[in-house]
Structure formats: structure tokens, C-alpha cells
Amino acid sequence: MSAEPRSMKTEAEQGLAQQFIAARDDLPGSPAVAERRDAAFALFERLGLPHRRIEAWKYTDLRARMRKALPIAPTPSVDQVERTLAASSTFADLDHYRLVLADGYFQEPLSDREAMLAEGIEIATLVEFLGSDGTSSVEALHDPEGAGGDAMIALNAALASDGVVIRMPDGCLPSKPIEIVHVSTVGTPASAWFTRSVATIGAGAKARLLVSHVGPDGVAYRSNSFVAVDMAEAAEIAFVDLQSEGDAAQHVTTFSAELAKESKLRHLSVASGAALSRLQGFVTIKGERADLSVSGANMLSRSQHGDITWRIDHAVPGATSRVLYKSAVADTAFGAFQGLILVRAGAPKTDGKMMTRTLLLSDEAQFAAKPELEIYADDVQCGHGATIGKIDETALFYLMSRGIPRTDAEALLIRAYLAEALAPIGDKAIAASLEPILAAWPEQRAL
């Protein structure tokens, strides 16, 4: 007689299961949405927390790093949110609309929903949307088997408390950028929150979407956000992801996009916060002559751990993709970049290029680079590459010989190196609002 095999779950996985059972009936959504949540959490239970034996997570072992499940964050007061926002100068000099999510909950008094409605943009909270009837509200949680069956996406779909749903009609041209700001006000004990937002961009519409994450230092809270963008024919989006979480936070964010014929997406990520962070992007190009640009400035210091992972799927002929990531790693920090360009059999004349460049600023800093191509079509132009090195001593000597102290000279070179990643976004005002973050980062290094 053989013993039945038993699945060993970690303390964190058991705690998350208990939280889902306790919270299930209070989570927003119709009965059909509740069924989708159940399916998503069943997938998470089957997969468990990601670990190094999963190729897409080989550099970020959450099973080892997440020892316990944190309680789900309660709804904060408006005063708490205002204090946290006041301490952040993110996009302060940029004239833009703002939609505020605090600890996972939409903040109506601090958001510009009415002004956006006046421009013809439909705005709903995820709570409102999931409570409506119809297939689309259920699909807002997305297929839990999607994105390769990722456990953290499934966990987000199961536990998402709120978010925003943006619909831009055909030809919509908003006069200002739109920011979805995620604010963590959580104190002691630390807690966790989950948000899910969806943007549907009509044919010929052009918009600038900003997603930011800010929170207090010294609190080991956890954030898990998901943003999906669905672009119709000839739509154009400039999308910025800014991660300035607190120095003890664990942060996971997922970006998903589908590009239609002749659509253009410019995605820029800038990251300098959190003790542990992971940005994972999944883009499917479904329309011919679509154009994708992905760039990023990734800054890691002290003992931070930062993981960037992208999967770009060319499903049709004649589309273009470009990826450029610039990382600066100091002290004892660890960084990783994984990127895959997949060219399917029905996608000849694909033009895809991927490059990751890394600047190591100490002997203890580490970085892993793994750009990949997977090509099943003929007549394509694809390439990838990676460079890792130190500051150019010749350039450093040149600046110091002009009377610039070594520390200041290093800061100038680091800033110039990272600033190249801002250019592909194609918006000077947005790039200018991010440059102070690049300029201030060298001072955060411990060594």
C-alpha cells in the first residue's frame, strides 16, 4: 500500500488561502466574477508562489522571500492619503489628470474623474465595473490561465479589491496625461494590497498614461498591481511606469497589452524604490504594421533586488519592436533582465531588436542578463544583445581634470547614461519630469 503524495505548502501560501476564504464574499463582483476569482485562486494554489525552478522567475524566488502572508490592507482615510501624496513630488510639475488608488481602494475626492468625463473619457472604478452585468465585466479579471499561467497574476485576479477602468472612444485626444497613482499609506503592522486596472483605447485615439507607485520607507508592505491596455487600430499610447515604493516594500507589477493594426505603444519604466521589485510585461502584437517601443531606467542600490521580465509576442507579419533597458547597480544590490521576442510562424517581415545595458558601480553589485529570441518564421530582422561594465575611467578623468569632484563627476556620467532610456517615450515634458529622479539617485548609494 502506497501513501498518497501530499503537496507541501509554505506558511505564506497557507496564509493566503485562509485570507482568500475569509475575504471572498466581501470582494467586489457579480456571481460570475466570483467564479472567475475562484478559478484564479485555484490556479495560484496549484502553482504556488514562484520559485527559481520556474524559468520566468529564476532570479526572484518569492517562495523563499515571502515567509508569511500579510493581512489585506483596510481602506485608508483621505487624510492619510493626502499626507503620503504630499511627500511625493512625482509628476508635480506636469499638468495632468490624476486617478488615485490608496492601499488598493479608489479615492474619489482626490481623483479627477469629472474633468476626464468632460473630455469624453469613460471612467469607472473596478468595483463599479465588476458589479455590472455582462461578459465584459467578468473579462476585466482576464483569463487566469493567460500569460503562461503566472501565479502572481492569478493571485491578483483573485484578490483585487479595486482599480480603474478607462475607455477612450475612437479618435479621442485627451488634452493632458492621465496618471493612475498607487499610494501605500500602510503602517504597522504591514499589510498587502492588490489592484487591477484596464484601459481600452479606441481607433485613432492618442493618449499618455502614467502609472506610479509611492509609499513610506521603513514598512515592509507588499503591493501587487496589474494594468492591461487594449489598443484598437491606429491607436497611439505613451505609457510610463514609475516605481518609487518605500525602501522595505515588496513590489510586483504586471503590464499586459494587445496591439491592433498600425497601433503604436511607447512603454517606459523608471524604478528606484522597494527592497524587492519585479516588473513583468506581456505584449501581444495582433495587427500588421504595429510599432512597439519598450525602454527603462532601472536603479538599484544598497541591498535592493530588482527584476525586469518581458515577453513580446509577434503574432502577425510586418510589425516592429524595440527594447532598450539601462540599469545602474550599486553597493550589494542585485538586478536581472529577462526578455523574449517570440516570432510566430505566421509573422514574416518582423523587425525586432532587444538590448540591455548595465553599469556596475561596486565590486559587490550583481546583474544577470538573459535576452532571447524564439523565431519560427523566415524573412525576419531580429537581434539581441547585452553589455555589462563599469564607469568609463577616461570620461571620469576628463571631468575630474576640469575641477569636478569625483563624486559629482560619477553622478553626471550616471545621469547621462540613464537619460538615454527616457528618449524613446517621445514626450519631452514627461521625460523632463522624470530626470530629477535620475539626478537624485546617485546620492542614495551607500558606498
Side-chain angles (χ1 to χ4, degrees), residues 318-358:
T320 301
S321 64
R322 294 288 184 270
V323 179
L324 173 64
Y325 257 89
K326 309 289 287 287
S327 297
V329 189
D331 309 324
T332 60
F334 174 86
F337 174 88
Q338 297 183 91
L340 171 65
I341 295 178
L342 170 63
V343 182
R344 297 191 179 273
K349 299 188 183 301
T350 290
D351 183 355
K353 292 182 175 59
M354 177 179 291
M355 174 60 73
T356 171
R357 302 186 185 278
T358 303

Side-chain angles (χ1 to χ4, degrees), residues 241-243 267-272 295-300 308 324-328 357 414-415 417-422 434 437-438:
D241 183 291
L242 175 60
Q243 190 269 104
H267 186 289
L268 167 65
S269 66
V270 175
S272 62
S295 61
N298 191 27
M299 295 160 278
L300 300 165
I308 305 292
L324 173 64
Y325 257 89
K326 309 289 287 287
S327 297
R357 302 186 185 278
I414 294 169
R415 179 179 180 180
Y417 159 79
L418 292 170
E420 183 185 357
L422 304 184
L434 295 168
I437 298 173
L438 309 187

Side-chain angles (χ1 to χ4, degrees), residues 20-56:
F20 178 71
I21 292 171
R24 181 186 180 280
D25 292 340
D26 295 324
L27 290 168
S30 64
V33 169
E35 291 181 8
R36 180 60 64 92
R37 290 186 186 274
D38 290 342
F41 195 79
L43 174 61
F44 171 77
E45 285 198 300
R46 187 166 73 250
L47 297 173
L49 287 168
H51 50 82
R52 66 182 63 182
R53 286 174 292 175
I54 299 173
E55 186 65 21

Side-chain angles (χ1 to χ4, degrees), residues 140-176:
L141 288 181
H142 287 258
D143 181 1
E145 296 286 352
D150 184 86
M152 298 309 286
I153 295 177
L155 185 63
N156 178 283
L159 290 172
S161 56
D162 210 345
V164 295
V165 178
I166 301 172
R167 287 177 171 175
M168 294 187 187
D170 295 351
C172 183
L173 301 172
S175 61
K176 302 178 184 180

Side-chain angles (χ1 to χ4, degrees), residues 174 228-229 292 325 369-370 389 395 410 426:
V229 176
L292 169 68
Y325 257 89
K370 193 168 73 98
E410 285 186 352

Side-chain angles (χ1 to χ4, degrees), residues 92-174:
D93 297 328
L94 186 67
D95 185 19
H96 66 289
Y97 296 124
R98 189 167 66 177
L99 301 170
V100 180
L101 294 164
D103 297 343
Y105 304 94
F106 186 72
Q107 303 294 304
E108 186 75 56
L110 302 176
S111 299
D112 299 320
R113 179 152 49 159
E114 291 300 321
M116 294 173 64
L117 290 172
E119 290 217 37
I121 306 169
E122 297 180 27
I123 303 290
T125 69
L126 189 70
V127 171
E128 295 166 347
F129 193 64
L130 294 182
S132 63
D133 295 328
T135 303
S136 60
S137 63
V138 179
E139 291 177 346
L141 288 181
H142 287 258
D143 181 1
E145 296 286 352
D150 184 86
M152 298 309 286
I153 295 177
L155 185 63
N156 178 283
L159 290 172
S161 56
D162 210 345
V164 295
V165 178
I166 301 172
R167 287 177 171 175
M168 294 187 187
D170 295 351
C172 183
L173 301 172

